[in-house]
Amino acid sequence: MGNRGSKQGDYQVLVKTADRNGAGTDANIYIALINTNGKRSKDYKLDIRFHDDFEQGNQDMYPISLKDFGVIDKIELWRDRRIGIGNNNWCVEWIIVRDNVRDEVYEFPINRWITAGLKRRWSRYDSKLPQNDSEHAQRKKELEEKRQVYEFEQKIDGIPVQAVVLPKDEAFTPDYMKFIITTKLKMKMHTELIMMSTKKFKTLEDMEDVYRYSFHRPEGVDGWDNDLKFGNLVMNGCNPNVIQLCTEIPNNFGVTAQMVESFLEGKTLDECLQNKRIFIVNHKVLEGVQNVTVPIGLFYANVNNDLIPIAIQLYQEKGPENPVFLPSDPKYTWILAKMWFNLGDASYHEACTHLAFTHFILESISVAVNRHLSPSHPLYRLVAPHLHFVMAINHRGLGKLLDKGGAFDVLFSMGLKGTFALIANAFKIWSFTNNGNLPANLKHRRLDDPEVLTKYYYREDGLKVWEAIRNYVDTIVKEYYTTDDDIGYDFELQGFRATLVRSIENGGCGFQDVPGVEDGITTTDQIVDIFTMIIFTASGGHASTNFGQYDQYGFPPNYPALLRGKPPNSKEKEYTEQDVMAALPSKDTMLSSMTLSKLLSTKNTESLGEYETQFLYDQTSVNALRTFKRTLTEIGKEINVKNRVRTYPYVRFHPDNIPNDISI
């Protein structure tokens, strides 16, 4: 990285050109300083003789002699329309003015492309509510221009809105794109070697012979048919936010007390229901989705607080051809019932928990943020690092997976048509609060009591990360919003929320239960809840459902995305290992699934709180971020200690494993 220039002068202007493709420029760059009395300096051309200024990712320093000018409050910056060889575009990350007289530093985060011939001004820290910003016209024009670039489109009926096209500023960096391509190519080469060097699958043991080269042995291999591990997968696997406390057995579930009481350690079913020991997963939302089960599973928290399955029904309506399967059934009958239950669970996980409710929801929010919150808005600066690559991965990465003949079409039983149908079913009932807010979601599922289901580590660790994020957001929000008028007059914030709740048909996101009232946002708690949800979903929420995919999907008997044939519909038939093998995917399909899940489980960006690009510069925000990072470090230490005694260690909410944003 360059860092050139003289250290002489009353002031020194340090310029950081952004480290993104095409950010450097050969244009002439000019600056003027404005002091706290509103006095403007003369124009200064920023240039070092015999030096290539403003190269991508570089820092350049320029001395300015300006006697008795005082404290710098603003800068004015522009570039010319240089004609000739070279690049004229320029993207600035920040400008720092060092006051050598007063030994002060004035920071101006820009994070923008500089338009030729247009003079623009920025205040110190560039973080103001719109009603307090003296540069009203500049701010308004910038947002109008961004709205031409960031536009909504519902590309498939029933799914959340997305950006019409990928804006230039949302694209992957060349280095990150190279990482994805080279990683995928390496895995593809290794799967071809495995395909040639291993035999055709005839037994379950044969399937364990494929783990070599890029592919470690997934956690899901060992003990995959064990009921304790099955129960832990429901609590702490890829899809941990669907289990609920069961207070009564649904009428369409054919289970009876007589069927299950032998698994309840001497207690009656009614006693266990009253004592909060019975739990349920009901995937009714899968109705109408092709080629998948629509299962209901009943679970019991035993005397050791382990969760075990006690009954599975593979479709919603009870009847002779839809029996209730039990742990006392013959070995392979029960194994098949659990596998087909997991097919439904995995289908919901991938389409809804992962794709729709993190990737797509965050893209909707990101477009709304860019349409309504100026880059000078403190809430934009708060949330920007957490929306960094979500549009890029959705348009460039998921775009290919969601094409006809792509991964979702061939590696999942539900196929592409089923994926979109399932998302549409689930999005109709998705709630910003009941689904997006972790404490509210736990309460909605009646699992907010820490004494109930005590090995539910997703809840235990997740709440700590949620609270750390909320405290961080709360500190910054309350610094800027000190009165009700601060909230009421913030037309950018109110417009942002209005777009979140406005129907898709009328140009909004169509979200339900966004904090606020009919007239908009009225309290700081509502602001904090909204932005905590956004940051949590982009970071811990996505990490908890994404980065364990290879360890679960990587061994199809454990958590299958695709099964062949028909699920068991009789308890009279004697099932064998060969029936299990007949249901499982072929070797080449398994290897393709391993490649996808391994790629999706690979983290290659900074961990939560460690930002690739810095957006926060005012002292309150800097201190809040410092406290946030210290809290995350302590959370990580606590999780390390707890995992030493946990039967199944849980690492999804370890801060080291949580990126800032959705980038894979």
Side-chain angles (χ1 to χ4, degrees):
M1 176 180 289
N3 192 346
R4 299 283 302 277
S6 169
K7 295 185 178 180
Q8 303 301 315
D10 303 303
Y11 300 92
Q12 295 165 264
V13 176
L14 182 62
V15 180
K16 169 70 184 297
T17 299
D19 190 11
R20 64 174 68 175
N21 200 28
T25 188
D26 295 318
N28 293 312
I29 306 299
Y30 300 88
I31 195 171
L33 308 182
I34 301 165
N35 67 19
T36 51
N37 295 321
K39 182 179 179 181
R40 184 185 183 280
S41 74
K42 69 176 185 178
D43 299 345
Y44 292 92
K45 181 180 178 181
L46 301 181
D47 180 58
I48 302 170
R49 293 186 66 187
F50 310 118
H51 172 58
D52 198 356
D53 304 291
F54 313 116
E55 291 296 289
Q56 177 181 329
N58 278 11
Q59 296 180 22
D60 300 291
M61 187 176 291
Y62 305 91
I64 289 181
S65 293
L66 192 59
K67 300 294 184 184
D68 301 321
F69 194 71
V71 174
I72 307 302
D73 183 52
K74 294 183 179 182
I75 59 171
E76 188 170 284
L77 190 70
W78 68 101
R79 69 175 177 86
D80 66 5
R81 299 180 181 274
R82 183 166 183 172
I83 300 174
I85 299 173
N87 179 34
N88 290 335
N89 294 323
W90 186 40
C91 188
V92 191
E93 184 171 330
W94 47 253
I95 289 177
I96 293 175
V97 179
R98 293 178 179 169
D99 184 338
N100 293 329
V101 176
R102 293 162 189 81
D103 195 25
E104 288 278 352
V105 173
Y106 313 115
E107 294 161 312
F108 299 90
I110 309 297
N111 307 111
R112 293 169 173 88
W113 293 89
I114 303 302
T115 304
L118 181 64
K119 293 184 177 182
R120 299 174 69 182
R121 290 187 175 190
W122 283 279
S123 299
R124 188 179 184 185
Y125 306 135
D126 188 39
S127 185
K128 290 189 176 184
L129 299 181
Q131 64 267 36
N132 300 331
D133 194 340
S134 60
E135 306 299 331
H136 297 297
Q138 172 181 298
R139 187 163 176 149
K140 180 181 178 181
K141 185 175 188 299
E142 182 178 36
L143 272 177
E144 288 172 349
E145 291 171 351
K146 290 192 76 174
R147 288 184 188 126
Q148 301 301 311
V149 177
Y150 291 84
E151 295 184 297
F152 287 121
E153 179 182 32
Q154 189 178 43
K155 300 188 176 183
I156 304 291
D157 286 346
I159 74 169
V161 292
Q162 297 174 263
V164 174
V165 297
L166 179 66
K168 176 177 67 174
D169 283 352
E170 305 298 334
F172 284 131
T173 61
D175 285 347
Y176 194 74
M177 198 68 209
K178 180 181 177 182
F179 158 74
I180 292 177
I181 292 170
T182 55
T183 301
K184 187 175 180 180
L185 287 174
K186 179 182 177 182
M187 290 180 187
K188 189 174 187 300
M189 179 183 69
H190 288 167
T191 58
E192 290 173 355
L193 289 171
I194 295 168
M195 190 70 188
M196 292 186 295
S197 61
T198 55
K199 61 185 178 182
K200 182 179 179 180
F201 296 157
K202 293 183 179 179
T203 67
L204 290 163
E205 189 176 352
D206 291 342
M207 299 182 74
E208 300 180 27
D209 193 35
V210 298
Y211 303 113
R212 55 189 74 174
Y213 309 123
S214 297
F215 302 98
H216 68 266
R217 184 180 176 89
E219 290 178 5
V221 176
D222 298 316
W224 67 272
D225 57 347
N226 181 287
D227 283 356
L228 289 180
K229 196 161 187 181
F230 184 85
N232 184 68
L233 182 63
V234 169
M235 288 190 293
N236 301 311
C238 293
N239 201 33
N241 51 14
V242 293
I243 186 172
Q244 301 184 44
L245 178 69
C246 183
T247 56
E248 61 180 356
I249 305 299
N251 291 331
N252 62 320
F253 195 1
V255 68
T256 66
Q258 185 179 6
M259 288 179 182
V260 299
E261 284 186 348
S262 62
F263 314 122
L264 303 182
E265 301 173 310
K267 295 179 282 291
T268 68
L269 180 58
D270 282 343
E271 287 174 333
C272 291
L273 287 167
Q274 292 171 13
N275 293 328
K276 300 181 180 180
R277 309 295 290 186
I278 301 296
F279 305 86
I280 193 168
V281 172
N282 188 343
H283 281 304
K284 181 177 174 60
V285 71
L286 285 160
E287 285 189 311
V289 178
Q290 64 183 17
N291 302 328
V292 297
T293 52
V294 192
I296 309 173
L298 200 67
F299 299 82
Y300 166 63
N302 66 17
V303 68
N304 296 319
N305 292 311
D306 293 310
L307 189 70
I308 58 171
I310 57 173
I312 291 173
Q313 184 176 291
L314 294 176
Y315 293 94
Q316 289 290 302
E317 294 306 319
K318 61 186 178 184
E321 294 188 356
N322 186 28
V324 175
F325 295 97
L326 305 169
S328 54
D329 289 336
K331 175 181 177 181
Y332 291 109
T333 302
W334 182 233
I335 283 176
L336 282 166
K338 290 190 291 182
M339 281 172 46
W340 284 92
F341 172 92
N342 273 346
L343 174 70
D345 195 73
S347 300
Y348 181 84
H349 160 257
E350 203 61 78
C352 300
T353 304
H354 179 216
L355 178 58
F357 299 155
T358 63
H359 283 264
F360 286 169
I361 291 294
L362 259 294
E363 180 170 355
S364 300
I365 289 170
S366 185
V367 175
V369 164
N370 281 281
R371 287 180 63 81
H372 290 284
L373 299 183
S374 162
S376 299
H377 199 294
L379 293 176
Y380 179 95
R381 293 200 163 277
L382 170 67
V383 81
H386 305 282
L387 301 174
H388 191 203
F389 278 152
V390 65
M391 290 191 208
I393 192 62
N394 288 359
H395 284 245
R396 298 291 175 87
L398 287 177
K400 294 181 179 179
L401 300 181
L402 290 167
D403 285 341
K404 190 170 181 59
F408 274 84
D409 211 18
V410 300
L411 298 180
F412 291 84
S413 285
M414 60 186 166
L416 198 57
K417 181 179 178 182
T419 299
F420 291 138
L422 177 50
I423 293 174
N425 287 351
F427 186 51
K428 288 176 188 174
I429 57 176
W430 182 83
S431 160
F432 192 99
T433 296
N434 288 339
N435 294 99
N437 180 308
L438 180 59
N441 174 255
L442 291 166
K443 185 174 182 179
H444 183 68
R445 293 185 286 121
R446 298 185 292 272
L447 290 175
D448 51 321
D449 184 350
E451 299 303 313
V452 174
L453 205 60
T454 57
K455 292 187 178 180
Y456 191 21
Y457 306 136
Y458 166 82
R459 174 186 62 200
E460 182 179 344
D461 296 353
L463 283 174
K464 290 185 181 298
V465 173
W466 172 275
E467 285 304 315
I469 293 171
R470 196 179 196 284
N471 290 337
Y472 166 56
V473 173
D474 185 78
T475 301
I476 294 174
V477 166
K478 289 179 178 174
E479 170 69 13
Y480 285 92
Y481 297 92
T482 59
T483 69
D484 291 344
D485 284 348
D486 289 337
I487 300 171
Y489 291 140
D490 186 347
F491 52 87
E492 291 181 3
L493 172 65
Q494 301 295 348
F496 168 64
R497 183 193 178 273
T499 292
L500 295 185
V501 302
R502 190 180 303 123
S503 69
I504 291 174
E505 294 75 16
N506 290 310
C509 298
F511 291 170
Q512 302 177 60
D513 302 324
V514 178
V517 296
E518 187 175 350
D519 293 335
I521 295 174
T522 57
T523 70
T524 54
D525 279 347
Q526 292 164 359
I527 303 173
V528 171
D529 284 343
I530 290 171
F531 284 86
T532 300
M533 179 275 186
I534 295 171
I535 294 174
F536 180 83
T537 301
S539 56
H542 178 257
S544 65
T545 193
N546 180 72
F547 291 106
Q549 289 188 84
Y550 176 72
D551 275 324
Q552 305 306 334
Y553 285 97
F555 187 61
N558 178 67
Y559 202 59
L562 182 148
L563 290 175
R564 300 179 292 183
K566 301 290 184 183
N569 61 1
S570 169
K571 298 182 59 153
E572 305 302 320
K573 180 179 177 180
E574 184 82 22
Y575 292 100
T576 67
E577 183 178 354
Q578 288 311 303
D579 292 303
V580 175
M581 293 302 300
L584 290 167
S586 62
K587 183 168 69 170
D588 59 336
T589 300
M590 176 180 171
L591 291 172
S592 295
S593 182
M594 285 166 53
T595 300
L596 174 62
S597 60
K598 180 73 171 180
L599 182 63
L600 293 177
S601 301
T602 303
K603 175 180 176 288
N604 194 50
T605 54
E606 294 289 348
S607 296
L608 184 57
E610 301 294 338
Y611 297 146
E612 282 92 347
T613 299
Q614 186 65 28
F615 285 85
L616 303 170
Y617 284 84
D618 68 276
Q619 199 58 53
T620 297
S621 298
V622 169
N623 289 341
L625 179 58
R626 189 178 296 120
T627 299
F628 180 45
K629 292 197 283 190
R630 281 200 302 264
T631 302
L632 292 173
T633 298
E634 292 305 310
I635 290 171
K637 291 177 181 177
E638 289 177 22
I639 291 174
N640 289 340
V641 171
K642 289 176 180 178
N643 277 338
R644 293 172 192 160
V645 296
R646 288 171 171 172
T647 306
Y648 300 108
Y650 186 69
V651 299
R652 299 300 158 222
F653 277 117
H654 193 295
D656 289 350
N657 299 329
I658 302 175
N660 290 300
D661 56 1
I662 299 175
S663 57
I664 195 68

